[in-house]
Amino acid sequence: MRGFHTRLLEVTVKLLPFAFAFLRDRRRWLLVGGSRRVSDEVHSARAERLVATLLSLGPAFIKAGQVLSTRPDLVPPVYAEALSSLQDEIPESEGQDPKAVVEAELGDAVDTETLSPVAGGSLAYVYTADVDGRRQALKVRRPGLKPKIERDLEVIRRLIPVVGLIADENQRYSIANIADDFERIILEELDFEREGRMMRRIGENFADDDRVYIPDVDEERTTEQVLVMEYVEGSKITDEAALADRGIDAQEMADRIADIYLTMGLEHGVFHADPHPGNLAVTDDGTLLIYDYGMSEQLTPETQRLITDLYRSLARRDVDGIIDALVGLDVLAPTADRADVRRVVELAMKNLEGRSDIDWRDITSELFGMLHDFPFRIPPNVMLLVRVGTVAEGVCRQLDPEFDFVAFVREFLLERGLFEDELRSSVAAASADLQQSLPALAGLPARTDRLFDRLERGQLTVKTERAGPTESALGYAVLAGALAVAAAVLVFHEQPYELLAAVAALGCLVQFLRRA
């Protein structure tokens, strides 16, 4: 493995042309001059070159590109779309034999003669083999990978401050923590024991749901470098012929995928975060099969509540609710000027309302793009949720081109009673306010009766400085107020006396305005 400084130099040389290009977009002569206009075609070509460069730099940078593809606070849409293609790329082998890892980790429990490759990714290979006499799937970390990942993460950490110097001022809030975000996500994906625990939890959550199947994990055999799990065969979810042969309606499968992922995020709080077509399959009996839980997340109850609030607010176009949820999720800094943020979010909502075909990527790009002028970032848990929405919606639209994510979310919230939960919370708050007001309301009739007695005896005195109105005008003002109070009290009477009191109050108010 090459040393740190050699690697730092290699990465710098490969990425430097992109840094110069982005700088020239802002200032034609790097330090002076105005911004230059760059066509979409030039940006697209540059984005494709960036993807090729990241692939050549290896697994850590491939994963960094995947993370950036769901960071609209940092990456423009044309680059995000190009970077999202990294999810299906399979780099060349590093030249070491993963079979040796399997034999070293599992020993005599595995029959290496039965080892058969299934797939490969930037961090691991997948094989099938006989383990303890049963056909199992083995996810094997690329040999010698972890030291290289740790070295490349340190390279990224060294380069981030330089990127911050040339980035827009408003992006520095996001860039400051991006190295920590990369490190957490990549190292968690390398932790096979954690992945096994997440698989088991998600499997337990769906144990009684025959629409979806999560393979069992052999936690006893799983090690730091090899994940041992049940081998279940299935056809790729986007294989139209396979769906037709099984009598599966593609539209129904799109709805099922959306429902299952919303259930994970909004109800269970533990979710699979990488639902691209390579990780979704369908079994012979039509069950949805989910693979590869390296990218998965567990939400705290508070985060789960805030995510539900955000989805609900987006479905209802509730601007204040959206802002509250973004602040609660640490996406938006609490110090941001709320009035300015409100105007920006309202504009984003209006822009979306004027479009006939809105998807999840549109919503996140429009909303987060509008917030570039404010200190905001996307924490890893929110980033993974953005990724789930974007990737899963892409699969759903491959199955059903008419799939409407926003409408589906609204229907999901209604069916699961999440809108009603909000209503119950509002009613409970109103009830609490009413209980606090009951003592004052209980004494209101007696105080009103005393007020009328004093009015009849001419003993009511109003202390005020005269500023124009006559004494008779002030008398009408007092009567208007007293009659308004009486109308409020009489609302609870069986007879409609409150109407008479309200009319009389209105008459007194008119007389006051005439004489004032």
Side-chain angles (χ1 to χ4, degrees):
M1 183 177 72
R2 281 171 291 182
F4 170 77
H5 291 96
T6 302
R7 180 62 167 171
L8 178 61
L9 179 61
E10 177 191 6
V11 172
T12 302
V13 169
K14 287 192 174 184
L15 295 181
L16 196 58
F18 298 100
F20 273 110
F22 291 130
L23 274 174
R24 291 197 64 210
D25 291 347
R26 293 172 55 195
R27 293 188 181 275
R28 181 176 293 274
W29 307 112
L30 297 183
L31 297 178
V32 296
S35 61
R36 61 175 182 170
R37 298 183 64 181
V38 181
S39 67
D40 291 341
E41 291 76 14
V42 171
H43 278 302
S44 295
R46 189 190 296 168
E48 293 302 326
R49 291 198 304 274
L50 179 60
V51 168
T53 301
L54 294 177
L55 279 169
S56 71
L57 288 172
F61 290 89
I62 291 171
K63 282 296 168 186
Q66 291 180 2
V67 172
L68 287 173
S69 72
T70 53
R71 292 296 299 265
D73 55 327
L74 294 173
V75 180
V78 63
Y79 292 90
E81 186 174 352
L83 290 170
S84 66
S85 68
L86 285 166
Q87 63 193 15
D88 286 323
E89 297 283 357
I90 301 175
E92 294 296 321
S93 170
E94 305 254 338
Q96 292 175 285
D97 185 8
K99 294 181 182 179
V101 176
V102 173
E103 194 166 14
E105 294 292 313
L106 301 182
D108 294 337
V110 61
D111 181 355
T112 55
E113 296 298 322
T114 64
L115 205 62
S116 177
V118 175
S122 58
L123 302 181
Y125 303 93
V126 178
Y127 288 85
T128 59
D130 289 343
V131 181
D132 296 325
R134 294 181 299 161
R135 198 67 177 169
Q136 299 275 60
L138 309 177
K139 185 176 180 180
V140 185
R141 183 195 296 167
R142 285 179 176 270
L145 179 66
K146 192 168 185 179
K148 294 178 182 179
I149 291 288
E150 291 172 342
R151 177 201 61 190
D152 284 353
L153 286 172
E154 184 58 29
V155 168
I156 292 172
R157 193 175 292 280
R158 292 287 186 91
L159 292 175
I160 288 297
V162 180
V163 175
L165 291 175
I166 64 175
D168 289 337
E169 183 177 352
N170 294 318
Q171 289 183 316
R172 291 171 190 167
Y173 184 74
S174 294
I175 290 172
N177 300 300
I178 190 68
D180 292 335
D181 295 347
F182 284 159
E183 183 170 350
R184 177 195 152 183
I185 290 169
I186 294 173
L187 293 183
E188 281 185 353
E189 194 163 350
L190 284 174
D191 186 347
F192 287 171
E193 292 173 336
R194 175 187 182 275
E195 181 176 350
R197 292 193 299 272
M198 298 297 280
M199 280 184 73
R200 176 173 52 78
R201 289 200 58 189
I202 294 172
E204 289 170 352
N205 288 337
F206 285 107
D208 298 325
D209 192 333
D210 58 8
R211 300 174 303 161
V212 60
Y213 189 77
I214 286 80
D216 290 331
V217 180
D218 188 340
E219 294 188 66
E220 184 178 344
R221 290 292 183 191
T222 293
T223 70
E224 184 182 356
Q225 297 193 76
V226 179
L227 175 63
V228 183
M229 54 195 152
E230 179 185 8
Y231 176 57
V232 186
E233 290 187 279
S235 299
K236 197 171 182 178
I237 195 69
T238 52
D239 186 341
E240 295 180 6
L243 293 178
D245 289 345
R246 291 164 174 77
I248 299 171
D249 180 71
Q251 181 177 348
E252 186 277 330
M253 182 57 72
D255 290 347
R256 186 192 307 184
I257 291 169
D259 185 88
I260 285 169
Y261 276 89
L262 285 170
T263 299
M264 285 189 209
L266 301 186
E267 294 191 346
H268 297 163
V270 184
F271 62 94
H272 175 262
D274 199 17
H276 68 78
N279 287 339
L280 301 177
V282 59
T283 64
D284 289 340
D285 64 358
T287 302
L288 175 66
L289 183 60
I290 303 177
Y291 299 121
D292 193 357
Y293 293 76
M295 197 175 285
S296 53
E297 183 67 25
Q298 179 176 348
L299 304 175
T300 65
E302 176 64 10
T303 299
Q304 194 176 342
R305 181 189 68 78
L306 288 166
I307 291 294
T308 302
D309 288 347
L310 180 60
Y311 274 98
R312 185 164 49 211
S313 298
L314 285 168
R316 297 177 59 182
R317 303 291 197 270
D318 177 2
V319 173
D320 288 319
I322 292 171
I323 296 171
D324 289 341
L326 292 177
V327 171
L329 291 166
D330 292 329
V331 172
L332 190 65
T335 55
D337 187 307
R338 191 177 180 94
D340 288 342
V341 173
R342 197 179 199 287
R343 283 192 290 271
V344 166
V345 175
E346 284 177 343
L347 180 59
M349 293 297 100
K350 287 180 181 178
N351 289 344
L352 291 170
E353 285 174 1
R355 298 164 62 172
S356 58
D357 186 22
I358 304 173
D359 58 29
W360 179 241
R361 187 186 289 275
D362 290 335
I363 293 172
T364 55
S365 297
E366 185 73 32
L367 181 60
F368 293 149
M370 287 284 198
L371 291 173
H372 269 156
D373 292 335
F374 302 94
F376 99 114
R377 63 181 289 264
I378 303 181
N381 54 358
V382 179
M383 184 279 293
L384 289 176
L385 283 164
V386 172
R387 176 182 175 79
V388 169
T390 302
V391 178
E393 182 186 45
V395 174
C396 292
R397 288 209 166 185
Q398 282 185 263
L399 295 168
D400 176 15
E402 302 300 319
F403 180 79
D404 186 335
F405 179 79
V406 177
F408 192 93
V409 169
R410 187 180 295 110
E411 187 65 26
F412 179 91
L413 294 173
L414 285 170
E415 287 182 359
R416 303 304 171 93
L418 295 175
F419 274 134
E420 286 78 357
D421 284 348
E422 182 185 38
L423 178 61
R424 281 193 288 270
S425 297
S426 299
V427 170
S431 176
D433 290 342
L434 181 61
Q435 288 177 9
Q436 291 179 355
S437 304
L438 280 177
L441 290 173
L444 185 60
R447 289 196 296 272
T448 303
D449 187 55
R450 290 195 298 270
L451 175 64
F452 286 166
D453 285 344
R454 294 180 66 185
L455 278 171
E456 289 176 4
R457 294 194 298 267
Q459 295 176 345
L460 183 66
T461 301
V462 179
K463 295 182 179 180
T464 182
E465 294 183 5
R466 289 189 57 183
T470 64
E471 292 182 1
S472 60
L474 290 174
Y476 280 115
V478 172
L479 283 172
L483 288 167
V485 172
V489 174
L490 291 171
V491 165
F492 299 100
H493 199 279
E494 293 182 359
Q495 300 299 322
Y497 294 142
E498 71 277 8
L499 296 178
L500 296 175
V503 171
L506 182 60
C508 290
L509 179 61
V510 170
Q511 289 298 322
F512 166 74
L513 294 174
R514 288 181 60 190
R515 295 168 185 265

